[in-house]
């Protein structure tokens, strides 16, 4: 009617209305939080003042020529940036384009590779021959299927609580087991631990001892004064450097074929040779 000039309304497709003049239909669609384009893309709304919706444009930050209207673009991407291979593997994305998604490679430190997924890097390190732990130790590899190397564990068979990762353990050991004292000496290892290497003792039958090395058991028994053979006999000790005692030999000077071991021989003797009766 003539009395209602200017009371017309304008309504936008998004419901915004105005009376007596066109409505300002649209706000900036790119101002929404979160951005309708997502991360790593730039959002542009070319017609903020128009009545158009869903006309915003997303452009890839990595290549602004790659765009899409009304939604995120499919961007070229370095797939390695998200660390899909995990710790300890090297990632390589040879062609960073929209047509090459999934072509990244994961490479283990031992050279094993996989495309599009993390590699299975490790075999059982304990299966190597010879064993990386050496003899008398047990090797265990806790992560055969992981991408970790040098994580195998060596445990002493003599005491499984003594362990070392990535190499042989220093094990407790009975040092006498290798017979370091030699024949005829008694070996004793009082503390068989990693902190007591070299504490074994060697003891001779005559009680002479040495720590960490064979004892020098015997001196020349014939050198004793007085001679163990007495007068008129020759003393011979055949094993001065050995650990044997009581092996010296006494031989009669009057007849060297008459001998005795470990004491004076009983020698034949012409008692008249000394003229005990006197002249006449």
């Amino acid at each position: 009617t003539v009395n209602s000039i200017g009371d017309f309304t304008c309504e936008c497709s998004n419901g915004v209305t105005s009376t007596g003049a066109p409505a300002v239909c649209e706000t900036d669609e790119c101002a929404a939080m979160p951005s309708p384009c997502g991360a790593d893309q730039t959002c542009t709304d070319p017609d903020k003042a128009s009545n158009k919706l869903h006309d915003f444009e997303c452009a890839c930050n990595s290549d602004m020529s790659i765009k899409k209207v009304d939604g995120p673009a499919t961007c070229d991407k370095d797939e390695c940036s998200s660390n899909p291979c995990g710790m300890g593997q090297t990632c390589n994305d040879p062609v960073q384009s929209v047509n090459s998604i999934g072509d990244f490679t994961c490479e283990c430190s031992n050279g094993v590779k996989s495309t599009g997924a993390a590699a299975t890097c490790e075999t059982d390190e304990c299966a190597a021959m010879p064993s990386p732990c050496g003899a008398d130790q047990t090797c265990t590899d806790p992560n055969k299927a992981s991408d970790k190397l040098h994580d195998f564990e060596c445990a002493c068979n003599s005491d499984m609580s003594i362990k070392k990762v990535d190499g042989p353990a220093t094990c407790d050991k009975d040092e006498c087991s290798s017979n370091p004292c030699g024949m005829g000496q008694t070996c004793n290892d009082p503390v068989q631990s990693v902190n007591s290497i070299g504490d074994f003792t060697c003891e001779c039958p005559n009680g002479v001892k040495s720590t960490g090395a064979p004892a020098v058991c015997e001196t020349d028994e014939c050198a004793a004064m007085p001679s163990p053979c007495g007068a008129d006999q020759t003393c011979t000790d055949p094993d001065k450097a050995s650990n044997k005692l009581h092996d010296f030999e006494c031989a009669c000077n009057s007849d060297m074929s008459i001998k005795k071991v470990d004491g004076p021989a009983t020698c034949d003797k012409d008692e008249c040779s000394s003229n005990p009766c006197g002249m006449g």
Side-chain angles (χ1 to χ4, degrees):
T1 66
V2 294
N3 296 320
S4 59
I5 299 297
D7 65 344
F8 67 90
T9 60
C10 298
E11 184 175 357
C12 303
S13 57
N14 62 359
V16 176
T17 60
S18 175
T19 300
V24 178
C25 298
E26 188 180 3
T27 56
D28 184 355
E29 292 185 277
C30 291
M33 293 298 289
S35 170
C37 293
D40 301 321
Q41 297 190 32
T42 297
C43 182
T44 306
D45 191 346
D47 295 305
K48 298 181 183 70
S50 76
N51 57 14
K52 292 179 65 178
L53 289 176
H54 308 296
D55 64 338
F56 67 92
E57 186 176 73
C58 297
C60 300
N61 292 339
S62 57
D63 185 345
M64 296 296 285
S65 66
I66 301 174
K67 301 178 182 181
K68 183 180 178 183
V69 174
D70 195 24
T74 302
C75 301
D76 294 344
K77 182 179 180 182
D78 178 2
E79 294 185 90
C80 291
S81 62
S82 62
N83 192 26
C85 299
M87 187 176 295
Q89 298 188 31
T90 301
C91 184
N92 179 40
D93 191 359
V95 183
Q96 298 172 19
S97 76
V98 293
N99 297 319
S100 62
I101 300 300
D103 69 334
F104 67 93
T105 60
C106 297
E107 183 171 0
C108 306
S109 57
N110 61 1
V112 176
K113 294 182 180 181
S114 175
T115 299
T120 301
C121 295
E122 188 179 0
T123 54
D124 185 356
E125 292 186 276
C126 291
M129 294 298 290
S131 169
C133 294
D136 300 323
Q137 297 190 30
T138 298
C139 183
T140 306
D141 191 346
N143 296 302
K144 299 180 184 70
S146 78
D147 57 5
K148 293 179 67 178
L149 290 174
H150 308 295
D151 64 335
F152 67 91
E153 187 176 72
C154 298
C156 300
N157 291 340
S158 58
D159 185 344
M160 296 296 284
S161 67
I162 301 174
K163 301 177 181 181
K164 184 180 177 184
V165 174
D166 195 24
T170 302
C171 301
D172 294 345
K173 183 179 180 181
D174 179 2
E175 295 184 90
C176 290
S177 63
S178 63
N179 193 26
C181 298
M183 187 176 295
Q185 298 189 30
T186 301
C187 184
N188 179 41
D189 190 359
V191 184
Q192 298 172 19
S193 77
V194 294
N195 298 318
S196 63
I197 300 300
D199 70 334
F200 67 93
T201 60
C202 297
E203 184 172 359
C204 305
N206 62 0
V208 176
K209 296 182 181 181
S210 175
T211 300
V216 179
C217 296
E218 186 180 3
T219 56
D220 184 356
E221 292 185 277
C222 291
M225 294 298 288
S227 169
C229 293
D232 301 322
Q233 295 189 32
T234 299
C235 183
T236 305
D237 190 348
D239 294 305
K240 299 180 183 69
S242 78
N243 55 18
K244 292 179 67 178
L245 290 176
H246 309 295
D247 63 338
F248 67 92
E249 188 177 73
C250 298
C252 299
N253 291 340
S254 58
D255 185 345
M256 296 294 287
S257 66
I258 302 174
K259 301 177 180 181
K260 184 181 178 184
V261 174
D262 196 26
T266 301
C267 301
D268 292 340
K269 183 178 182 182
D270 180 4
E271 294 183 268
C272 289
S273 64
S274 63
N275 191 22
C277 299
M279 188 175 291

